[in-house]
Amino acid sequence: MKAKYRILEVVNTPSLVGKTITINAWVRTKRESKNVAFVALNDGTVFDNLQVVIDVQKFDEELLKNISTGAGVGVTGKLVESQGKGQALEMVADSIVLYGPADPTTYPLQKKGHSLEFLREIAHLRFRTNTFGAVFRIRHHMAFAIHQFFDNKSFKYLHAPIITGSDAEGAGEMFHVTNFDLDHIPRTEDGKINFSEDFFGKETNLTVSGQLEGELAALALSEIYTFGPTFRAENSNTSRHLAEFWMIEPEMAFYDITDNMDLAEEFLKYLVNYALQNCRKDLQFLNDMYDKELINRLERVVQTPFVRLTYSQAMDVLLQSGKKFEFPVKWGVDLQSEHERFLVEEHFKNSVILTDYPREIKAFYMKQNDDGKTVKAMDVLFPQIGEIIGGSQREEDYDKLLARINEMGIPHKDMWWYLETRKFGSVPHSGFGLGFERLLLFVTGMKNIRDVIPFPRTPQNAEF
RNA sequence: UCUCCCUUAGCUCAGUUGGUUAGAGCAUCUGACUGUUAAUCAGAGGGUCCAAGGUUCAAGUCCUUGAGGGAGAGCCA
């Protein structure tokens, strides 16, 4: 018979009451009096702690002294209904194994609250807090839900390359990938770096987007998605940017911009609803501790249709609002954060999808509208965090795409394969990118993106 | 990269107009307590006031520079 259980199972298996089992976990707190001690154990499998009741007389004094906050222990005992309030079940300890003590005078985590900034500096230990246990359990469930959503729709999970030889997407500054001895970098006769001698025989970088490769696959498999790490070497110092983050990029053949919007909205609602259904305890904790409106906001997103309007219509709303903006509103300039926030948080009080942006402020691959001025772009704007999804219908017309590439001075040698898909069997298609950590910001109510990824990489910081 | 704010005990923070020996809560340690829930009660220990330089009889406090952190902006997801 199985004797070793996780707290998740203890919480969800009422029939275990009366049984003697073993729990391996870490000590959260200990409360002691002369004859009895109470130890709260947590193994991270679920938000709940398991209270262990210890008859002080039955155990070695030195052992009990080492059962302090942070210690790793295995406790065997009988599960009983709790005499005290605050928990339904508790365990009466028969034996205790101390795997590893945690010296209370140097262990940094205390019973009381710590600031998120301090916990960021001890990212190797912050998993052991209620907050980060909740955040990273939710992160897991969201990743799983993403695969489930697409699998339900028969989308194929595509692994786009992480090392890329093209700098064509222009999504941002890239990290170089090289095998050169940095003290002796080969040069050509005219003094430039000789990439032909490098590992790949050409200049290579870490990917800033898997979209272009995703399109190639979609134009054969019909519907695909990527979900992988993405790298931007921008010197961005904000609570919404990381140098290394995870991105989901679906790409669908035979989808126009409206199909694309429908999918994005369904996708986001599925994920938020999944969290509400499957991460309730963790969400409730985050709601109580950090953001009293969190669960209300999540429920509202699931229930309310997103507002859809064009960039031009949004311009009219902004102009007619009579509101003074730091950056003046004018057709043709990109929307600033303050404009997006006004639309989402003040005017519509709802999630918004904006479409048909001026072509000059959007990427080369977006499908050009007949008006000659706008492209079939779409951005999904969320309360609190702004742009959560950016996407578009792609330009499938070879001549128009080529003209745009020339216009923007993008080198053909990097793009020949992308252009060929428009030469052979080109069809209408669309896609978008969702920043995984931005989704998590929204779902968890955390305010800083560094607190929803285990080990954040930002300018001047790659610790751990 | 720009603007603003912060840096004092392990943690979170007070510290007045520049003025004697820099404080509190929590944590830690010691003791008390028959079932606790951020247990409670009593006591103890704990400081390079971020760094360097400067002004002054006197600097945690004022000035300059630097480092680290945060918020907002730009770039974007």
Side-chain angles (χ1 to χ4, degrees), chain A residues 26-28 42-47 49 70 107 109 114 116 118-140 282 285 450-457 463-464:
Chain A
W26 293 268
V27 175
R28 279 292 169 79
N42 188 282
D43 66 2
T45 58
V46 67
F47 182 83
N49 294 330
Y107 186 62
L109 292 173
H114 295 285
L116 295 171
F118 172 69
L119 293 172
R120 237 169 263 154
E121 292 171 16
I122 51 166
H124 56 308
L125 297 173
R126 68 177 178 169
F127 297 105
R128 302 178 182 201
T129 63
N130 285 333
T131 298
F132 287 94
V135 165
F136 292 120
R137 277 188 298 273
I138 292 171
R139 186 178 168 109
H140 158 79
D282 290 324
F285 173 78
R450 297 172 183 119
D451 294 330
V452 296
I453 189 167
F455 302 105
R457 273 75 181 98
E463 192 67 54
F464 305 106

Side-chain angles (χ1 to χ4, degrees), chain A residues 32-37 53-64 93-94 96:
Chain A
E32 239 178 332
S33 59
K34 196 175 185 181
N35 296 316
V36 65
V53 185
I54 297 173
D55 182 344
V56 173
Q57 314 298 332
K58 286 189 188 166
F59 290 89
D60 178 53
E61 196 180 323
E62 191 63 22
L63 174 70
L64 292 185
D94 288 334
I96 301 173

Side-chain angles (χ1 to χ4, degrees), chain A residues 156-342:
Chain A
K156 301 302 177 288
Y157 179 26
L158 182 82
H159 297 102
I162 290 169
I163 297 172
T164 173
S166 76
D167 185 15
E169 220 237 334
E173 289 294 311
M174 304 179 94
F175 287 102
H176 299 298
V177 174
T178 181
N179 209 30
F180 281 148
D181 175 352
L182 294 182
D183 291 325
H184 306 92
I185 296 174
R187 301 271 171 180
T188 58
E189 282 174 14
D190 53 0
K192 294 194 171 136
I193 295 171
N194 188 358
F195 287 107
S196 70
E197 288 190 32
D198 204 349
F199 187 87
F200 294 106
K202 64 185 294 193
E203 185 174 359
T204 50
N205 299 294
L206 292 179
T207 182
V208 293
S209 165
Q211 180 200 318
L212 300 189
E213 289 88 351
E215 285 187 51
L216 312 184
L219 292 171
L221 303 175
S222 286
E223 289 141 330
I224 64 93
Y225 68 104
T226 71
F227 185 1
T230 308
F231 306 88
R232 305 266 167 98
E234 298 287 347
N235 191 9
S236 293
N237 292 288
T238 80
S239 53
R240 301 184 309 282
H241 289 85
L242 292 164
E244 176 185 287
F245 63 101
W246 289 67
M247 189 153 65
I248 300 101
E249 295 181 287
E251 198 67 39
M252 300 77 64
F254 312 110
Y255 274 51
D256 65 16
I257 183 77
T258 305
D259 299 327
N260 202 22
M261 283 190 279
D262 290 346
L263 182 76
E265 181 167 345
E266 185 188 349
F267 182 45
L268 289 169
K269 287 180 170 173
Y270 180 89
L271 297 177
V272 171
N273 189 53
Y274 190 96
L276 286 168
Q277 300 303 319
N278 294 280
C279 308
R280 200 66 194 199
K281 280 178 183 169
D282 290 324
L283 285 177
Q284 192 64 52
F285 173 78
L286 296 169
N287 187 86
D288 295 343
M289 292 298 288
Y290 293 100
D291 185 347
K292 298 274 187 283
E293 276 302 298
L294 175 62
I295 290 178
N296 282 341
R297 197 160 56 238
L298 297 181
E299 284 172 344
R300 222 163 36 239
V301 162
V302 172
Q303 289 158 5
T304 323
F306 296 179
V307 174
R308 300 183 185 190
L309 70 167
T310 65
Y311 168 92
S312 298
Q313 289 167 331
M315 280 288 143
D316 291 342
V317 169
L318 291 169
L319 288 167
Q320 283 163 23
S321 72
K323 208 171 152 70
K324 283 266 183 295
F325 294 105
E326 189 188 342
F327 295 89
V329 179
K330 191 181 147 204
W331 200 97
V333 300
D334 209 354
L335 293 178
Q336 306 292 320
S337 287
E338 56 172 342
H339 305 141
E340 296 181 350
R341 270 206 311 275
F342 174 80

Side-chain angles (χ1 to χ4, degrees), chain A residues 52-93:
Chain A
V52 173
V53 185
I54 297 173
D55 182 344
V56 173
Q57 314 298 332
K58 286 189 188 166
F59 290 89
D60 178 53
E61 196 180 323
E62 191 63 22
L63 174 70
L64 292 185
K65 201 174 148 74
N66 278 314
I67 308 295
S68 59
T69 301
V73 296
V75 183
T76 301
K78 192 175 174 183
L79 271 186
V80 299
E81 289 186 16
S82 180
Q83 293 177 33
K85 291 170 188 161
Q87 61 281 315
L89 295 179
E90 63 191 16
M91 177 190 269
V92 180

